[in-house]
Amino acid sequence: MSLDLERLIRPNILNLVPYRCARDEYKKGILLDSNENSFGSVLSVEQEDGQELHRYPFAYAELKKKIAKFRGIRVEQIFTGVGSDEAIDSTIRIFCSPGKESIIVTPPTFSVYKVRGDINDAKVISVPLTPDYQLNMDKLKKAITPEVKVIFICSPGNPTGVRIPREDIIELLESDYKGMVALDEAYVDFSTSPSDCDLVDKYPNLVVLQTMSKSFGLAGIRLGWAIAHPSVIDVFNKVKTPYNLSTMTAKMGMDALELVDEMHQRVKQVQQERDKLMESMRQTPEVKNVRSSEANFFLAEIEHAHEVYRMMADKGVVVQYKGKEPHCKDCLRVTVGTPEENKVLLETLKDVCKLVAEQHADDATENKTKKRKTDQ
Ligand code: PMP
């Protein structure tokens, strides 16, 4: 399958002359090319791999080698960014001409796609998922026009926790749609089926987004990446700020990629805790429904969810209210905590649900009394 990049990419990006400097070609010697502080950093942090903090970072190639090994892909297929948030923004910025072109989002989904779309002045078209949180393929295909340049798909979905089948992604990639599909796999390591990032070998209009923030537990270092056809990755690299990842981020990312077994162990712990917590929630009478999940969070349907959410937060247990999203009426999104945190969560939830139910019962009695009085 060929990629008509010239037609897909914004003309100004296609013709962009990217920032280049002497350091791109010469990395050793007496380095007086980048206006760094030759007397060193005020912090005396030794970097055993020769990456000194008074120098601009240059370790991205090594980092990409490790990511490539981890995911079974090639270095040329990787763009590294400040979290996958950067890759989400770049995807829109590269392909959507402001004020002219569009993205499609499939709510309930990660709200950053719309926010970045709005910032980049892309029209944001919503095609909600089906009630069981799958792609509504007919509606999706109907919503596609020549102006649609990116379709965001989240798998496992945030907040749904539901995986989109590989066949559905392939169906979209093989349809008449000529734009990009951005497949966000932030939570893929928590899922029982593997990443679909190998599809980039066959489909040049696919960008897969991944992150170290979730399964590796490294949200604080801000490291994510996009996996795509090398010619698409070239454009991501042209558009990014010159030294987007800090030396510490690159270093910690490389260290963490040596600890993949550790990551898998943690994922197993999270999955076990998730399943236990979901079971306990199912046994809580006030919880009407707990949706199954392949992520480190899940949706729970609870009567008067917004009040419950507020009251829980006031008591120090903060979850997310998702009740305004399609097919999420009265839903709270709960991130799986440690066993101790989950114990407090369950106790607080039970107390709060009881209080809210009592309040509603009191209100109902008061209303009845008022009505009786006005009727008299
Ligand atoms: N995608 C999804 C679906 C997410 O939920 C998040 C974070 N909440 C991100 C991307 C962004 O992750 P990062 O920390 O890598 O920017």
Short mmCIF file of all heavy atoms in Angstrom, two decimals, residues 294-352:
data_model
loop_
_atom_site.label_atom_id
_atom_site.label_comp_id
_atom_site.label_asym_id
_atom_site.label_seq_id
_atom_site.Cartn_x
_atom_site.Cartn_y
_atom_site.Cartn_z
N GLU A 294 -9.56 -3.91 30.08
CA GLU A 294 -8.21 -4.44 29.79
C GLU A 294 -7.18 -3.36 30.09
O GLU A 294 -6.13 -3.31 29.44
CB GLU A 294 -8.12 -4.88 28.34
CG GLU A 294 -9.02 -6.05 28.02
CD GLU A 294 -8.48 -6.91 26.90
OE1 GLU A 294 -7.29 -7.24 26.90
OE2 GLU A 294 -9.28 -7.21 25.99
N ALA A 295 -7.49 -2.48 31.04
CA ALA A 295 -6.55 -1.40 31.35
C ALA A 295 -6.31 -1.37 32.86
O ALA A 295 -6.70 -2.30 33.58
CB ALA A 295 -7.12 -0.07 30.85
N ASN A 296 -5.69 -0.31 33.36
CA ASN A 296 -5.46 -0.22 34.82
C ASN A 296 -6.53 0.65 35.47
O ASN A 296 -6.28 1.31 36.47
CB ASN A 296 -4.05 0.32 35.12
CG ASN A 296 -3.85 1.72 34.60
OD1 ASN A 296 -4.55 2.16 33.68
ND2 ASN A 296 -2.90 2.45 35.16
N PHE A 297 -7.70 0.67 34.87
CA PHE A 297 -8.86 1.41 35.39
C PHE A 297 -10.10 0.72 34.85
O PHE A 297 -10.01 -0.15 33.97
CB PHE A 297 -8.82 2.88 34.92
CG PHE A 297 -8.74 3.00 33.43
CD1 PHE A 297 -9.87 2.90 32.63
CD2 PHE A 297 -7.51 3.18 32.80
CE1 PHE A 297 -9.79 2.97 31.26
CE2 PHE A 297 -7.42 3.25 31.42
CZ PHE A 297 -8.56 3.15 30.65
N PHE A 298 -11.26 1.12 35.36
CA PHE A 298 -12.51 0.57 34.83
C PHE A 298 -13.64 1.54 35.12
O PHE A 298 -13.49 2.47 35.93
CB PHE A 298 -12.80 -0.82 35.42
CG PHE A 298 -12.87 -0.83 36.92
CD1 PHE A 298 -14.06 -0.58 37.59
CD2 PHE A 298 -11.73 -1.07 37.66
CE1 PHE A 298 -14.11 -0.58 38.98
CE2 PHE A 298 -11.77 -1.08 39.06
CZ PHE A 298 -12.97 -0.83 39.71
N LEU A 299 -14.74 1.33 34.45
CA LEU A 299 -15.93 2.17 34.65
C LEU A 299 -16.91 1.46 35.58
O LEU A 299 -17.18 0.27 35.39
CB LEU A 299 -16.62 2.43 33.31
CG LEU A 299 -15.97 3.44 32.37
CD1 LEU A 299 -16.71 3.46 31.03
CD2 LEU A 299 -15.93 4.85 32.97
N ALA A 300 -17.42 2.20 36.56
CA ALA A 300 -18.42 1.64 37.47
C ALA A 300 -19.64 2.55 37.41
O ALA A 300 -19.52 3.78 37.49
CB ALA A 300 -17.88 1.58 38.88
N GLU A 301 -20.81 1.92 37.23
CA GLU A 301 -22.05 2.69 37.15
C GLU A 301 -22.69 2.72 38.54
O GLU A 301 -22.95 1.67 39.12
CB GLU A 301 -22.97 2.00 36.15
CG GLU A 301 -24.10 2.85 35.66
CD GLU A 301 -25.01 2.05 34.73
OE1 GLU A 301 -24.54 1.10 34.08
OE2 GLU A 301 -26.20 2.39 34.72
N ILE A 302 -22.89 3.91 39.03
CA ILE A 302 -23.36 4.08 40.41
C ILE A 302 -24.48 5.12 40.43
O ILE A 302 -24.35 6.18 39.79
CB ILE A 302 -22.19 4.57 41.31
CG1 ILE A 302 -21.08 3.52 41.31
CG2 ILE A 302 -22.66 4.89 42.73
CD1 ILE A 302 -19.79 3.95 41.93
N GLU A 303 -25.53 4.84 41.15
CA GLU A 303 -26.63 5.80 41.23
C GLU A 303 -26.13 7.14 41.81
O GLU A 303 -25.31 7.12 42.74
CB GLU A 303 -27.72 5.22 42.13
CG GLU A 303 -29.07 5.69 41.68
CD GLU A 303 -30.18 4.78 42.21
OE1 GLU A 303 -29.95 3.58 42.34
OE2 GLU A 303 -31.24 5.32 42.50
N HIS A 304 -26.60 8.24 41.28
CA HIS A 304 -26.19 9.59 41.71
C HIS A 304 -24.67 9.75 41.66
O HIS A 304 -24.04 10.26 42.60
CB HIS A 304 -26.70 9.89 43.14
CG HIS A 304 -28.15 9.56 43.33
ND1 HIS A 304 -29.15 10.15 42.59
CD2 HIS A 304 -28.77 8.69 44.17
CE1 HIS A 304 -30.32 9.67 42.97
NE2 HIS A 304 -30.12 8.77 43.90
N ALA A 305 -24.07 9.29 40.56
CA ALA A 305 -22.60 9.21 40.45
C ALA A 305 -21.91 10.55 40.72
O ALA A 305 -20.85 10.59 41.34
CB ALA A 305 -22.21 8.68 39.08
N HIS A 306 -22.52 11.65 40.26
CA HIS A 306 -21.83 12.93 40.42
C HIS A 306 -21.72 13.31 41.89
O HIS A 306 -20.67 13.76 42.35
CB HIS A 306 -22.50 14.03 39.60
CG HIS A 306 -21.60 15.23 39.48
ND1 HIS A 306 -21.79 16.37 40.20
CD2 HIS A 306 -20.47 15.42 38.76
CE1 HIS A 306 -20.83 17.23 39.93
NE2 HIS A 306 -20.00 16.68 39.05
N GLU A 307 -22.82 13.09 42.61
CA GLU A 307 -22.78 13.40 44.05
C GLU A 307 -21.79 12.48 44.77
O GLU A 307 -21.05 12.92 45.65
CB GLU A 307 -24.17 13.20 44.66
CG GLU A 307 -25.13 14.34 44.31
CD GLU A 307 -26.56 13.90 44.56
OE1 GLU A 307 -26.99 13.92 45.72
OE2 GLU A 307 -27.22 13.51 43.57
N VAL A 308 -21.80 11.23 44.37
CA VAL A 308 -20.88 10.26 44.99
C VAL A 308 -19.43 10.70 44.74
O VAL A 308 -18.60 10.71 45.66
CB VAL A 308 -21.13 8.83 44.43
CG1 VAL A 308 -20.05 7.85 44.88
CG2 VAL A 308 -22.51 8.33 44.86
N TYR A 309 -19.16 11.09 43.49
CA TYR A 309 -17.81 11.53 43.13
C TYR A 309 -17.36 12.71 43.99
O TYR A 309 -16.26 12.71 44.55
CB TYR A 309 -17.81 11.88 41.63
CG TYR A 309 -16.81 12.92 41.20
CD1 TYR A 309 -15.45 12.62 41.16
CD2 TYR A 309 -17.23 14.20 40.83
CE1 TYR A 309 -14.53 13.57 40.77
CE2 TYR A 309 -16.32 15.16 40.45
CZ TYR A 309 -14.97 14.84 40.42
OH TYR A 309 -14.06 15.79 40.04
N ARG A 310 -18.24 13.71 44.11
CA ARG A 310 -17.91 14.92 44.90
C ARG A 310 -17.65 14.58 46.36
O ARG A 310 -16.66 15.02 46.95
CB ARG A 310 -19.07 15.92 44.83
CG ARG A 310 -19.12 16.68 43.55
CD ARG A 310 -18.48 18.06 43.75
NE ARG A 310 -18.43 18.75 42.49
CZ ARG A 310 -17.33 19.21 41.93
NH1 ARG A 310 -16.17 19.05 42.53
NH2 ARG A 310 -17.36 19.83 40.79
N MET A 311 -18.57 13.78 46.89
CA MET A 311 -18.47 13.48 48.32
C MET A 311 -17.22 12.64 48.60
O MET A 311 -16.55 12.82 49.61
CB MET A 311 -19.74 12.76 48.78
CG MET A 311 -20.20 13.22 50.14
SD MET A 311 -21.62 12.31 50.67
CE MET A 311 -22.94 13.39 50.23
N MET A 312 -16.91 11.72 47.69
CA MET A 312 -15.71 10.90 47.87
C MET A 312 -14.46 11.77 47.83
O MET A 312 -13.54 11.63 48.63
CB MET A 312 -15.61 9.82 46.79
CG MET A 312 -16.52 8.64 47.10
SD MET A 312 -16.44 7.36 45.87
CE MET A 312 -14.78 6.77 46.04
N ALA A 313 -14.44 12.71 46.88
CA ALA A 313 -13.28 13.60 46.75
C ALA A 313 -13.11 14.43 48.02
O ALA A 313 -12.00 14.63 48.51
CB ALA A 313 -13.43 14.48 45.52
N ASP A 314 -14.26 14.89 48.57
CA ASP A 314 -14.20 15.65 49.82
C ASP A 314 -13.62 14.81 50.96
O ASP A 314 -13.03 15.34 51.88
CB ASP A 314 -15.59 16.17 50.22
CG ASP A 314 -16.05 17.29 49.29
OD1 ASP A 314 -15.19 17.86 48.59
OD2 ASP A 314 -17.27 17.57 49.24
N LYS A 315 -13.83 13.50 50.86
CA LYS A 315 -13.29 12.61 51.90
C LYS A 315 -11.88 12.12 51.53
O LYS A 315 -11.34 11.24 52.20
CB LYS A 315 -14.22 11.42 52.11
CG LYS A 315 -15.52 11.79 52.81
CD LYS A 315 -16.42 10.57 52.95
CE LYS A 315 -17.72 10.93 53.63
NZ LYS A 315 -17.57 11.17 55.06
N GLY A 316 -11.32 12.64 50.44
CA GLY A 316 -9.93 12.34 50.11
C GLY A 316 -9.70 11.20 49.14
O GLY A 316 -8.57 10.79 48.91
N VAL A 317 -10.78 10.68 48.52
CA VAL A 317 -10.58 9.61 47.52
C VAL A 317 -11.07 10.14 46.16
O VAL A 317 -12.26 10.35 45.95
CB VAL A 317 -11.35 8.32 47.91
CG1 VAL A 317 -11.15 7.25 46.85
CG2 VAL A 317 -10.88 7.82 49.27
N VAL A 318 -10.12 10.36 45.28
CA VAL A 318 -10.45 11.06 44.04
C VAL A 318 -10.51 10.07 42.87
O VAL A 318 -9.53 9.41 42.55
CB VAL A 318 -9.41 12.17 43.73
CG1 VAL A 318 -9.85 13.00 42.53
CG2 VAL A 318 -9.19 13.06 44.95
N VAL A 319 -11.68 9.98 42.26
CA VAL A 319 -11.83 9.20 41.02
C VAL A 319 -12.33 10.19 39.95
O VAL A 319 -12.37 11.39 40.21
CB VAL A 319 -12.82 8.02 41.21
CG1 VAL A 319 -12.28 7.01 42.21
CG2 VAL A 319 -14.20 8.51 41.64
N GLN A 320 -12.64 9.71 38.76
CA GLN A 320 -13.11 10.63 37.72
C GLN A 320 -14.58 10.39 37.43
O GLN A 320 -15.00 9.23 37.26
CB GLN A 320 -12.33 10.39 36.41
CG GLN A 320 -10.98 11.02 36.39
CD GLN A 320 -10.96 12.35 35.63
OE1 GLN A 320 -12.00 12.89 35.24
NE2 GLN A 320 -9.77 12.86 35.44
N TYR A 321 -15.34 11.50 37.30
CA TYR A 321 -16.75 11.40 36.91
C TYR A 321 -16.82 11.41 35.39
O TYR A 321 -16.26 12.30 34.74
CB TYR A 321 -17.52 12.59 37.48
CG TYR A 321 -18.95 12.66 37.01
CD1 TYR A 321 -19.87 11.69 37.39
CD2 TYR A 321 -19.37 13.68 36.16
CE1 TYR A 321 -21.18 11.74 36.94
CE2 TYR A 321 -20.68 13.74 35.71
CZ TYR A 321 -21.58 12.77 36.11
OH TYR A 321 -22.87 12.82 35.66
N LYS A 322 -17.46 10.41 34.79
CA LYS A 322 -17.53 10.33 33.32
C LYS A 322 -18.97 10.36 32.82
O LYS A 322 -19.24 10.05 31.66
CB LYS A 322 -16.83 9.05 32.84
CG LYS A 322 -15.32 9.08 33.00
CD LYS A 322 -14.70 10.01 31.97
CE LYS A 322 -13.25 10.28 32.27
NZ LYS A 322 -12.69 11.34 31.41
N GLY A 323 -19.90 10.71 33.72
CA GLY A 323 -21.32 10.62 33.41
C GLY A 323 -21.81 11.44 32.23
O GLY A 323 -22.90 11.21 31.72
N LYS A 324 -21.00 12.41 31.78
CA LYS A 324 -21.47 13.25 30.66
C LYS A 324 -21.09 12.66 29.30
O LYS A 324 -21.50 13.16 28.26
CB LYS A 324 -20.88 14.66 30.79
CG LYS A 324 -21.52 15.44 31.92
CD LYS A 324 -21.08 16.88 31.90
CE LYS A 324 -21.77 17.64 33.01
NZ LYS A 324 -20.97 18.76 33.46
N GLU A 325 -20.28 11.62 29.32
CA GLU A 325 -19.82 11.01 28.06
C GLU A 325 -20.90 10.06 27.52
O GLU A 325 -21.67 9.49 28.30
CB GLU A 325 -18.57 10.18 28.31
CG GLU A 325 -17.41 10.94 28.89
CD GLU A 325 -16.58 11.62 27.84
OE1 GLU A 325 -16.49 11.10 26.72
OE2 GLU A 325 -16.02 12.69 28.14
N PRO A 326 -20.94 9.86 26.18
CA PRO A 326 -21.93 8.93 25.63
C PRO A 326 -21.78 7.53 26.23
O PRO A 326 -20.66 7.06 26.43
CB PRO A 326 -21.59 8.89 24.13
CG PRO A 326 -20.69 10.03 23.87
CD PRO A 326 -20.08 10.45 25.17
N HIS A 327 -22.90 6.88 26.48
CA HIS A 327 -22.96 5.51 27.04
C HIS A 327 -22.23 5.39 28.39
O HIS A 327 -21.73 4.33 28.73
CB HIS A 327 -22.36 4.47 26.07
CG HIS A 327 -22.78 4.64 24.65
ND1 HIS A 327 -24.09 4.70 24.27
CD2 HIS A 327 -22.05 4.77 23.51
CE1 HIS A 327 -24.16 4.86 22.96
NE2 HIS A 327 -22.94 4.92 22.49
N CYS A 328 -22.12 6.49 29.11
CA CYS A 328 -21.43 6.44 30.41
C CYS A 328 -22.29 7.03 31.52
O CYS A 328 -21.77 7.54 32.51
CB CYS A 328 -20.12 7.24 30.36
SG CYS A 328 -18.85 6.49 29.38
N LYS A 329 -23.61 6.98 31.32
CA LYS A 329 -24.49 7.59 32.33
C LYS A 329 -24.16 7.05 33.72
O LYS A 329 -24.01 5.84 33.90
CB LYS A 329 -25.96 7.27 31.97
CG LYS A 329 -26.95 7.99 32.83
CD LYS A 329 -28.36 7.80 32.30
CE LYS A 329 -29.36 8.45 33.22
NZ LYS A 329 -29.52 7.78 34.51
N ASP A 330 -24.03 7.96 34.67
CA ASP A 330 -23.75 7.60 36.06
C ASP A 330 -22.46 6.80 36.25
O ASP A 330 -22.36 5.96 37.15
CB ASP A 330 -24.93 6.80 36.66
CG ASP A 330 -26.00 7.74 37.24
OD1 ASP A 330 -25.67 8.92 37.47
OD2 ASP A 330 -27.13 7.29 37.43
N CYS A 331 -21.49 7.02 35.36
CA CYS A 331 -20.25 6.24 35.46
C CYS A 331 -19.12 7.02 36.13
O CYS A 331 -18.91 8.20 35.87
CB CYS A 331 -19.77 5.82 34.07
SG CYS A 331 -20.63 4.37 33.47
N LEU A 332 -18.40 6.30 36.97
CA LEU A 332 -17.14 6.81 37.53
C LEU A 332 -16.02 5.98 36.94
O LEU A 332 -16.17 4.77 36.79
CB LEU A 332 -17.14 6.68 39.05
CG LEU A 332 -18.21 7.44 39.83
CD1 LEU A 332 -18.01 7.22 41.33
CD2 LEU A 332 -18.15 8.94 39.52
N ARG A 333 -14.92 6.65 36.58
CA ARG A 333 -13.74 5.89 36.14
C ARG A 333 -12.79 5.77 37.31
O ARG A 333 -12.35 6.78 37.87
CB ARG A 333 -13.04 6.58 34.96
CG ARG A 333 -11.99 5.68 34.32
CD ARG A 333 -11.05 6.45 33.44
NE ARG A 333 -10.23 7.33 34.25
CZ ARG A 333 -9.50 8.35 33.77
NH1 ARG A 333 -9.51 8.62 32.49
NH2 ARG A 333 -8.78 9.11 34.57
N VAL A 334 -12.50 4.53 37.67
CA VAL A 334 -11.69 4.26 38.86
C VAL A 334 -10.34 3.69 38.43
O VAL A 334 -10.28 2.66 37.75
CB VAL A 334 -12.40 3.24 39.78
CG1 VAL A 334 -11.58 2.97 41.03
CG2 VAL A 334 -13.80 3.74 40.14
N THR A 335 -9.26 4.36 38.81
CA THR A 335 -7.92 3.81 38.57
C THR A 335 -7.63 2.81 39.67
O THR A 335 -7.93 3.06 40.84
CB THR A 335 -6.87 4.95 38.62
OG1 THR A 335 -7.24 5.95 37.68
CG2 THR A 335 -5.48 4.42 38.29
N VAL A 336 -7.04 1.68 39.29
CA VAL A 336 -6.71 0.66 40.28
C VAL A 336 -5.58 1.17 41.17
O VAL A 336 -4.54 1.61 40.68
CB VAL A 336 -6.28 -0.65 39.58
CG1 VAL A 336 -5.90 -1.73 40.60
CG2 VAL A 336 -7.38 -1.15 38.66
N GLY A 337 -5.81 1.10 42.49
CA GLY A 337 -4.77 1.55 43.42
C GLY A 337 -4.03 0.37 44.04
O GLY A 337 -4.19 -0.78 43.60
N THR A 338 -3.25 0.63 45.06
CA THR A 338 -2.60 -0.44 45.82
C THR A 338 -3.68 -1.13 46.66
O THR A 338 -4.76 -0.55 46.86
CB THR A 338 -1.54 0.14 46.77
OG1 THR A 338 -2.20 1.02 47.69
CG2 THR A 338 -0.46 0.91 46.01
N PRO A 339 -3.40 -2.33 47.20
CA PRO A 339 -4.43 -3.00 48.03
C PRO A 339 -4.93 -2.08 49.15
O PRO A 339 -6.13 -2.02 49.40
CB PRO A 339 -3.70 -4.22 48.59
CG PRO A 339 -2.64 -4.52 47.57
CD PRO A 339 -2.23 -3.20 46.99
N GLU A 340 -4.02 -1.34 49.78
CA GLU A 340 -4.43 -0.45 50.89
C GLU A 340 -5.34 0.66 50.36
O GLU A 340 -6.36 0.99 50.97
CB GLU A 340 -3.20 0.19 51.56
CG GLU A 340 -2.21 -0.77 52.20
CD GLU A 340 -1.36 -1.53 51.18
OE1 GLU A 340 -1.01 -0.93 50.15
OE2 GLU A 340 -1.07 -2.72 51.40
N GLU A 341 -4.94 1.25 49.24
CA GLU A 341 -5.75 2.33 48.66
C GLU A 341 -7.13 1.81 48.25
O GLU A 341 -8.16 2.47 48.47
CB GLU A 341 -5.05 2.93 47.44
CG GLU A 341 -3.84 3.77 47.79
CD GLU A 341 -3.03 4.22 46.58
OE1 GLU A 341 -3.02 3.50 45.55
OE2 GLU A 341 -2.39 5.28 46.64
N ASN A 342 -7.16 0.61 47.68
CA ASN A 342 -8.44 0.06 47.22
C ASN A 342 -9.38 -0.24 48.39
O ASN A 342 -10.59 -0.10 48.27
CB ASN A 342 -8.20 -1.20 46.39
CG ASN A 342 -7.44 -0.88 45.12
OD1 ASN A 342 -7.46 0.26 44.65
ND2 ASN A 342 -6.76 -1.87 44.57
N LYS A 343 -8.77 -0.62 49.52
CA LYS A 343 -9.57 -0.89 50.72
C LYS A 343 -10.27 0.41 51.16
O LYS A 343 -11.48 0.43 51.40
CB LYS A 343 -8.64 -1.41 51.83
CG LYS A 343 -9.34 -1.99 53.01
CD LYS A 343 -8.36 -2.81 53.85
CE LYS A 343 -8.96 -3.13 55.20
NZ LYS A 343 -8.71 -2.13 56.22
N VAL A 344 -9.48 1.49 51.20
CA VAL A 344 -10.06 2.79 51.60
C VAL A 344 -11.11 3.22 50.58
O VAL A 344 -12.19 3.72 50.93
CB VAL A 344 -8.95 3.87 51.74
CG1 VAL A 344 -9.54 5.21 52.14
CG2 VAL A 344 -7.89 3.43 52.75
N LEU A 345 -10.79 3.02 49.30
CA LEU A 345 -11.74 3.37 48.24
C LEU A 345 -13.08 2.68 48.47
O LEU A 345 -14.15 3.32 48.45
CB LEU A 345 -11.17 2.97 46.86
CG LEU A 345 -12.17 2.94 45.72
CD1 LEU A 345 -12.35 4.31 45.10
CD2 LEU A 345 -11.77 1.96 44.64
N LEU A 346 -13.04 1.36 48.72
CA LEU A 346 -14.29 0.59 48.89
C LEU A 346 -15.07 1.05 50.12
O LEU A 346 -16.29 1.22 50.06
CB LEU A 346 -13.97 -0.90 48.99
CG LEU A 346 -13.62 -1.58 47.67
CD1 LEU A 346 -13.02 -2.95 47.90
CD2 LEU A 346 -14.85 -1.69 46.76
N GLU A 347 -14.33 1.28 51.22
CA GLU A 347 -15.01 1.73 52.45
C GLU A 347 -15.66 3.09 52.22
O GLU A 347 -16.83 3.31 52.56
CB GLU A 347 -14.01 1.82 53.61
CG GLU A 347 -13.60 0.47 54.15
CD GLU A 347 -12.32 0.54 55.00
OE1 GLU A 347 -11.79 1.66 55.23
OE2 GLU A 347 -11.86 -0.54 55.40
N THR A 348 -14.89 3.99 51.62
CA THR A 348 -15.42 5.35 51.38
C THR A 348 -16.62 5.30 50.45
O THR A 348 -17.63 5.98 50.68
CB THR A 348 -14.31 6.26 50.77
OG1 THR A 348 -13.13 6.08 51.54
CG2 THR A 348 -14.71 7.71 50.74
N LEU A 349 -16.50 4.48 49.41
CA LEU A 349 -17.59 4.36 48.45
C LEU A 349 -18.87 3.89 49.14
O LEU A 349 -19.95 4.47 48.93
CB LEU A 349 -17.19 3.39 47.33
CG LEU A 349 -18.25 3.15 46.26
CD1 LEU A 349 -18.43 4.41 45.40
CD2 LEU A 349 -17.86 1.99 45.36
N LYS A 350 -18.73 2.87 49.97
CA LYS A 350 -19.92 2.34 50.67
C LYS A 350 -20.54 3.41 51.57
O LYS A 350 -21.74 3.65 51.53
CB LYS A 350 -19.55 1.11 51.50
CG LYS A 350 -19.45 -0.14 50.63
CD LYS A 350 -19.08 -1.36 51.44
CE LYS A 350 -18.64 -2.47 50.49
NZ LYS A 350 -17.82 -3.48 51.11
N ASP A 351 -19.68 4.09 52.36
CA ASP A 351 -20.19 5.14 53.26
C ASP A 351 -20.89 6.23 52.47
O ASP A 351 -22.00 6.66 52.81
CB ASP A 351 -19.01 5.81 54.01
CG ASP A 351 -18.41 4.88 55.05
OD1 ASP A 351 -19.01 3.81 55.29
OD2 ASP A 351 -17.33 5.22 55.59
N VAL A 352 -20.24 6.68 51.42
CA VAL A 352 -20.77 7.80 50.63
C VAL A 352 -22.08 7.40 49.95
O VAL A 352 -23.05 8.17 49.95
CB VAL A 352 -19.70 8.29 49.62
CG1 VAL A 352 -20.31 9.15 48.53
CG2 VAL A 352 -18.60 9.06 50.33
#
